[in-house]
Amino acid sequence: MMQVEKAIGGKTIVHPFDLHVEPGQVVAVCGGNGAGKSTILRMIVGITQPSAGTIELNGINLKQDRVNYLQQIGYMPDHFNFPAGLTASECMRFYASLRGRTASEADEALKAVGLHEARNKKVSVFSKGMQQRLLFAQAMLGKPALLVLDEPTNGLDPYWMGAFVDLVNTLKREGISVIFSTHQLQAANEVADRALFVINGTIVRSAAMEEYRAEYGELALHRAFSELFPRERQPIKHSEKTSSVTVTIRGRESRNGRDA
């Protein structure tokens, strides 16, 4: 559960909103560059502190019990530079050791994202898409209760766009919750259970995919985007009143980074 807002220097950059995520549910956070998507995700993973509100995962409050909260989360940032001198296998085994996972689990994660054959290559020679897949692999280590993915489809070719959808569907069947941001709506349209549209730090619409499809048809999110993001749109008017506003996330239970 999350009910938060974020202000910097007296300016509100993420306006108050509520978000509830159930086990095995996939939520897509959609919007253009600078909309506030990454700030929302960084609050969920504890990188950015909310100005007001609370964030909980399986009843664990981020502010009150940060260590136990973060042990249940896997995070894939939008931008990250792996150590250039390390191979993919060395990177994954390093992250596995930090999380108390085994080397075989690191290898399985590399297989899942199609990088096992490239495991002994240095990350410095990886393409953008390969680095994205490596980031996804480290986020999946240990199968945490919640995966938070910031623009995970950036740099992926069409084949791996499809593989991303398959991977997320597999995680969903295992009861793992996923929140991912994107401005590419194809994957979101295929895999999300719920989609949020963010404009200037405000969630202007949040609905289940069934609702979008009932209203817009099969290309639901593309058509919703066109309606919400016209080429010329009026500025968003925010209410003068702000409330102390919660993200409650109920994922598959885990203890100390291991499955319950």
Side-chain angles (χ1 to χ4, degrees):
M1 178 174 71
M2 175 171 167
Q3 187 183 42
V4 297
E5 61 182 290
K6 179 63 180 178
I8 297 177
K11 179 181 179 181
T12 301
I13 61 172
V14 174
H15 292 265
F17 73 95
D18 291 323
L19 174 61
H20 299 261
V21 183
E22 295 297 323
Q25 188 176 43
V26 178
V27 177
V29 183
C30 308
N33 293 330
K37 305 186 304 297
S38 292
T39 301
I40 290 171
L41 299 193
R42 287 170 186 158
M43 286 193 286
I44 294 173
V45 300
I47 295 173
T48 298
Q49 183 176 352
S51 301
T54 60
I55 303 175
E56 295 180 352
L57 171 56
N58 288 334
I60 302 172
N61 185 286
L62 170 58
K63 188 173 182 179
Q64 296 173 356
D65 195 354
R66 181 180 178 88
V67 173
N68 284 331
Y69 176 95
L70 293 178
Q71 284 178 339
Q72 301 193 60
I73 286 182
Y75 175 53
M76 175 181 173
D78 184 12
H79 299 290
F80 185 80
N81 293 321
F82 288 102
L86 296 184
T87 65
S89 180
E90 289 169 338
C91 285
M92 286 297 295
R93 293 185 182 208
F94 169 74
Y95 286 110
S97 68
L98 291 180
R99 299 184 190 182
R101 315 309 300 195
T102 66
S104 62
E105 287 176 292
D107 288 341
E108 286 302 313
L110 285 173
K111 289 177 183 177
V113 299
L115 289 177
H116 194 255
E117 291 185 1
R119 66 189 181 279
N120 294 321
K121 291 184 178 180
K122 291 187 177 181
V123 180
S124 58
V125 303
F126 277 15
S127 66
K128 168 67 173 177
M130 293 174 74
Q131 292 192 26
Q132 287 293 91
R133 285 151 54 191
L134 185 58
L135 276 175
F136 194 3
Q138 66 77 31
M140 290 192 300
L141 270 171
K143 296 184 178 178
L146 173 69
L147 280 180
V148 180
L149 314 174
D150 197 354
E151 298 287 356
T153 58
N154 276 359
L156 297 187
D157 60 33
Y159 174 83
W160 278 103
M161 285 281 285
F164 167 80
V165 170
D166 292 341
L167 278 169
V168 172
N169 280 328
T170 297
L171 296 168
K172 179 162 51 173
R173 287 192 295 270
E174 294 174 354
I176 296 172
S177 305
V178 180
I179 301 175
F180 73 98
S181 66
T182 186
H183 61 272
Q184 299 174 359
L185 301 179
Q186 176 185 345
N189 205 69
E190 293 184 41
V191 78
D193 299 302
R194 170 171 289 275
L196 320 177
F197 283 95
V198 185
I199 301 176
N200 296 335
T202 297
I203 294 180
V204 294
R205 183 158 187 190
S206 173
M209 285 303 302
E210 291 86 351
E211 183 177 331
Y212 287 113
R213 291 190 179 105
E215 184 173 350
Y216 297 106
E218 284 306 306
L219 294 176
L221 296 185
H222 295 80
R223 291 175 177 171
F225 183 90
S226 296
E227 184 175 290
L228 292 166
F229 292 76
R231 291 185 179 180
E232 294 182 6
R233 70 170 186 271
Q234 296 299 317
I236 298 172
K237 295 181 179 179
H238 302 292
S239 170
E240 293 293 331
K241 182 180 179 181
T242 59
S243 55
S244 176
V245 248
T246 298
V247 178
T248 296
I249 304 164
R250 293 180 56 248
R252 183 193 59 178
E253 295 286 348
S254 62
R255 298 194 184 103
N256 297 324
R258 294 188 179 275
D259 298 345

